């Protein structure tokens, strides 16, 4: 009986995660208090950080909220950090939480417009190189103003819809499960389906990379961007200008890489959309367009106007980002007739799990602050020359972000850089340059693995990934040319362009240093 209870408890604990993973988490929970009380609190703190990064790296085995949350709760309980410090970290980053809760939900009510845009792109552009560029550019532009997860979710929805349409035609069964290919007995149909899968794989990867290229450029592109912008006292336009010496060259080279891998059919790219599939999808889209009512057309126009409002509100910093997102929810729902509470609730489902995980991040950050875990590393980096500091911060952030979560890494490093500035270790100008290095470091090299980019991880765990045979290893392989290009060009930008271009912008009045000084002094 006791054995049965233990087996049931083990099955319940972390659900369907592998047994070795469950035992590892249990081992962490047993060892951490022993090391904290009987060995050394500093070592115990670093063990917690490594264990938490482990849960992030193993996100495909179990969503990090549960195991990471258990580790954080225990850390607070045994005194690694105080609940007051955790509350302070959350309060300092309330804008980021509002961004995730309201902006993601707001864009949910603009999905019809985004689906319309990506559908027209796919069906009306026949050149694969131009189509790939269009998907990459569209994803980059949208991710610069919207949430990257929402953008990639829309592209996934388009791809699943198109895959479903063709699969039903190929199998001659409109109600056939799209994961079952056994009904496709025609060899030509199977070959066409495999080519269609390869085509969709390449488009999804271009779109995913596009979210990284655009997401690094603005303060709303990624959650850590807003944390860094808030710490430095930058608004939307200033953040864009500060990042531009690095991000603009990376964008140009990223688009060039998109053209090259398609032109020379490298790393799994270059596969064309089968003509038979194009005809099936075009016919289906024509039928849908003919059925589109006047009311639905007005909804699309309304969403487009709300999109214009969103871009202008962010560009001119009319209000905090989260509040702009809330305004989008109110405008989109009221003008498009969404008044049911349950319909509203669906919009928040995508963002709340990550919002909860981000709150756990801040609990671990509180441990890092109270135990001074990163002080030795920061002191080592700050002993280097100012120019070397930029490269080291960029590379350290990139390495950690590629195996864990870039929000966590960005939060930790910007807090340490801010502390160094407040204690007079570095100047304001150097702090601002380091903020650029930290932001680009967390965003660019992290495309190396799905762990580093939330959009990549979302794609890998989506229903589309098994349909188009997109595995973890294949994603890493297909991201490799982008990883090498973005990391290398970003490093060159940090090393050789950042300082002179920033000085030029300051001298020509693009950036007003006295205003920055006043803003930072107020926040100290």
């Amino acid at each position: 009986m006791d054995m049965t209870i233990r087996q049931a408890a083990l099955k319940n604990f972390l659900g369907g995660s592998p047994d070795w993973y469950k035992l590892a988490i249990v081992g962490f929970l047993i060892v951490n208090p022993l090391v904290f009380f009987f060995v050394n609190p500093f070592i115990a703190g670093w063990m917690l950080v490594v264990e938490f990064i482990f849960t992030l790296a193993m996100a495909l085995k179990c969503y990090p909220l549960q195991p990471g949350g258990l580790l954080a709760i225990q850390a607070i309980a045994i005194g690694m950090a105080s609940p007051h410090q955790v509350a302070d970290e959350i309060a300092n980053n309330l804008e980021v939480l509002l961004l995730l809760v309201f902006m993601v939900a707001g864009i949910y009510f603009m999905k019809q417009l985004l689906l319309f845009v990506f559908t027209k792109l796919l069906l009306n552009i026949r050149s694969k190189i131009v189509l790939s560029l269009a998907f990459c550019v569209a994803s980059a532009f949208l991710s610069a103003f919207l949430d990257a997860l929402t953008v990639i979710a829309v592209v996934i929805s388009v791809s699943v819809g198109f895959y479903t349409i063709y699969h039903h035609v190929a199998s001659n069964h409109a109600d056939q499960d799209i994961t079952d290919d056994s009904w496709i007995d025609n060899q030509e149909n199977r070959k066409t389906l495999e080519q269609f899968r390869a085509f969709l794989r390449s488009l999804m990867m271009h779109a995913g990379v596009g979210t990284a290229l655009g997401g690094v450029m603005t303060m709303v592109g990624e959650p850590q961007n807003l944390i860094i912008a808030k710490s430095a006292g930058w608004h939307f336009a200033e953040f864009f200008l500060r990042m531009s010496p690095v991000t603009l060259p990376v964008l140009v080279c990223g688009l060039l890489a998109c053209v090259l891998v398609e032109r020379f059919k490298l790393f799994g790219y270059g596969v064309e959309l089968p003509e038979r599939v194009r005809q099936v999808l075009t016919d289906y889209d024509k039928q849908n367009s003919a059925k589109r009512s006047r009311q639905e057309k007005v909804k699309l126009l309304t969403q487009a106007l709300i999109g214009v409002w969103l871009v202008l509100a962010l560009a001119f910093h009319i209000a905090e980002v989260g509040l702009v997102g809330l305004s989008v929810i109110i405008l989109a729902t009221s003008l498009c007739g969404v008044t049911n509470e349950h319909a509203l609730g669906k919009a928040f489902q995508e963002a709340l799990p990550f919002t909860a995980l981000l709150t756990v991040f801040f609990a671990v950050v509180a441990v890092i602050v109270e135990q001074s875990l990163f002080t030795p590393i920061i002191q080592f980096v700050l002993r280097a020359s100012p120019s070397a500091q930029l490269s080291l911060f960029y590379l350290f952030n990139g390495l950690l972000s590629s195996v864990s979560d870039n929000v966590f890494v960005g939060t930790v490093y910007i807090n340490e850089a801010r502390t160094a500035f407040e204690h007079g270790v570095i100047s304001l100008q150097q702090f601002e340059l380091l903020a650029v290095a930290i932001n680009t470091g967390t965003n660019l090299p992290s495309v190396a693995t799905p762990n580093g980019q939330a959009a990549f991880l979302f794609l890998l765990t989506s229903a589309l990934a098994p349909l188009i045979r997109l595995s973890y290893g294949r994603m890493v392989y297909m991201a490799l040319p982008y990883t090498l290009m973005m990391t290398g060009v970003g490093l060159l930008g940090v090393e050789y362009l950042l300082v002179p271009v920033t000085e030029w912008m300051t001298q020509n009045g693009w950036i007003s240093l006295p205003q920055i000084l006043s803003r930072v002094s107020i926040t100290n």
Side-chain angles (χ1 to χ4, degrees):
M1 180 67 178
D2 291 340
M3 181 63 70
T4 303
I5 293 175
R6 284 199 295 271
Q7 289 174 344
L10 181 62
K11 287 185 177 180
N12 287 337
F13 180 66
L14 299 183
S17 303
D19 288 344
W20 65 264
Y21 182 86
K22 298 179 181 182
L23 292 173
I25 299 300
V26 171
F28 296 158
L29 293 171
I30 293 173
V31 171
N32 287 352
L34 298 177
V35 176
F36 182 76
F37 288 115
F38 301 110
V39 181
N40 188 296
F42 184 84
I43 295 176
W46 263 109
M47 288 176 58
L48 174 71
V49 172
V50 173
E51 291 159 4
F52 187 68
I53 291 175
F54 168 79
T55 66
L56 297 174
M58 294 290 107
L60 295 180
K61 304 297 182 184
C62 176
Y63 191 67
L65 174 63
Q66 290 77 23
L70 290 173
L71 293 170
I73 290 171
Q74 184 192 64
I76 306 305
I78 65 178
M80 284 190 180
S82 66
H84 178 72
Q85 181 68 42
V86 177
D88 283 346
E89 291 296 332
I90 293 172
N92 291 336
N93 294 284
L94 183 60
E95 293 175 17
V96 181
L97 298 178
L98 291 177
L99 163 71
L100 288 173
V101 173
F102 291 131
M103 187 62 80
V104 176
I107 304 309
Y108 174 88
F109 294 108
M110 296 175 63
K111 274 189 175 181
Q112 285 176 292
L113 176 66
L114 298 176
L115 284 168
F116 178 81
V117 170
F118 279 104
T119 299
K120 294 304 179 185
L121 284 177
L122 193 147
L123 293 180
N124 293 328
I125 301 177
R126 302 190 70 87
S127 167
K128 179 63 187 305
I129 294 177
V130 176
L131 178 64
S132 299
L133 267 178
F135 262 68
C136 196
V137 170
S139 297
F141 177 78
L142 291 171
S143 296
F145 293 96
L146 313 178
D147 175 73
L149 284 180
T150 303
V151 174
I152 204 70
V154 169
V155 184
I156 289 172
S157 298
V158 173
S159 298
V160 170
F162 283 157
Y163 183 89
T164 303
I165 293 165
Y166 180 72
H167 191 279
H168 288 165
V169 171
S171 62
N172 292 316
H173 287 76
D175 57 347
Q176 179 62 35
D177 181 6
I178 58 175
T179 62
D180 183 8
D181 294 347
S182 61
W183 291 85
I184 305 177
D185 52 6
N186 186 298
Q187 188 63 31
E188 183 180 350
N189 285 345
R190 285 184 174 276
K191 183 179 179 181
T192 301
L193 183 61
E194 286 302 319
Q195 184 179 344
F196 187 33
R197 282 172 173 152
F199 170 82
L200 289 178
R201 277 198 303 268
S202 62
L203 276 191
M204 293 307 304
M205 289 301 296
H206 289 313
V209 170
T211 63
L213 291 171
V216 68
M217 300 181 78
T218 67
M219 62 185 285
V220 297
E222 295 283 352
Q224 72 271 14
N225 298 18
L226 190 59
I227 295 173
I228 292 168
K230 184 175 182 293
S231 182
W234 297 336
H235 292 319
F236 190 91
E238 186 173 358
F239 184 94
F240 174 81
L241 290 172
R242 290 279 181 177
M243 298 298 155
S244 60
V246 181
T247 56
L248 290 181
V250 169
L251 175 64
V252 172
C253 293
L255 298 179
L256 178 61
C258 176
V259 172
L260 292 177
V261 294
E262 285 292 335
R263 172 65 180 81
F264 296 104
K265 304 183 186 302
L266 304 172
F267 295 92
Y269 295 100
V271 180
E272 300 283 346
L273 175 64
E275 197 57 40
R276 184 185 178 197
V277 177
R278 181 187 297 277
Q279 189 59 50
V280 170
L281 299 180
T282 301
D283 292 343
Y284 182 83
D285 182 60
K286 286 179 180 178
Q287 293 175 9
N288 271 0
S289 297
K291 294 177 183 177
R292 187 173 291 124
S293 66
R294 185 181 298 273
Q295 184 180 5
E296 291 174 330
K297 293 177 181 178
V298 171
K299 283 183 180 180
L300 288 176
L301 177 60
T302 301
Q303 291 174 16
L305 293 175
I306 294 172
V308 173
W309 150 252
L310 173 63
V311 171
L312 294 176
L314 293 174
F316 292 100
H317 198 72
I318 294 174
E320 294 300 335
V321 175
L323 298 181
V324 173
L326 180 58
S327 74
V328 170
I329 294 176
I330 295 170
L331 291 172
T333 54
S334 59
L335 297 177
C336 294
V338 181
T339 56
N340 185 277
E341 180 182 357
H342 296 293
L344 287 169
K346 292 179 181 178
F348 294 89
Q349 292 177 357
E350 292 180 7
L352 287 183
F354 189 71
T355 305
L357 178 60
L358 192 60
T359 305
V360 174
F361 286 174
F362 297 141
V364 177
V365 171
V367 173
I368 292 172
V369 171
E370 291 209 3
Q371 300 298 325
S372 302
L373 299 183
F374 275 71
T375 301
I377 297 176
I378 299 300
Q379 289 176 345
F380 166 76
V381 173
L382 295 180
R383 290 193 194 102
S385 64
S387 60
Q389 290 174 13
L390 300 178
S391 299
L392 289 172
F393 266 85
Y394 175 87
L395 292 173
F396 283 163
N397 277 268
L399 179 62
L400 276 177
S401 294
S402 64
V403 296
S404 64
D405 187 271
N406 44 20
V407 180
F408 173 66
V409 175
T411 303
V412 169
Y413 272 93
I414 195 61
N415 284 346
E416 293 295 335
R418 178 61 181 255
T419 300
F421 162 63
E422 291 175 346
H423 287 82
V425 178
I426 59 176
S427 65
L428 173 63
Q429 291 86 342
Q430 183 67 5
F431 166 70
E432 290 172 331
L433 294 172
L434 288 176
V436 176
I438 291 169
N439 186 70
T440 52
T442 55
N443 279 283
L444 299 177
S446 58
V447 299
T449 70
N451 305 98
Q453 283 286 336
F456 277 21
L457 187 60
F458 186 75
L459 170 59
L460 186 63
T461 55
S462 70
L464 177 66
L467 296 179
I468 61 175
R469 309 298 189 259
L470 186 61
S471 63
Y472 188 101
R474 181 167 271 169
M475 284 191 75
V476 172
Y477 174 72
M478 295 184 73
L480 183 59
Y482 283 113
T483 302
L484 296 175
M485 181 282 305
M486 293 168 68
T487 303
V489 175
L491 180 60
L492 292 174
V494 168
E495 184 72 27
Y496 298 108
L497 295 177
L498 180 56
V499 174
V501 175
T502 301
E503 290 178 350
W504 180 86
M505 287 191 293
T506 304
Q507 293 169 2
N508 287 273
W510 289 37
I511 300 173
S512 179
L513 195 58
Q515 291 181 13
I516 299 171
L517 283 167
S518 65
R519 285 205 302 272
V520 175
S521 63
I522 289 171
T523 58
N524 281 346

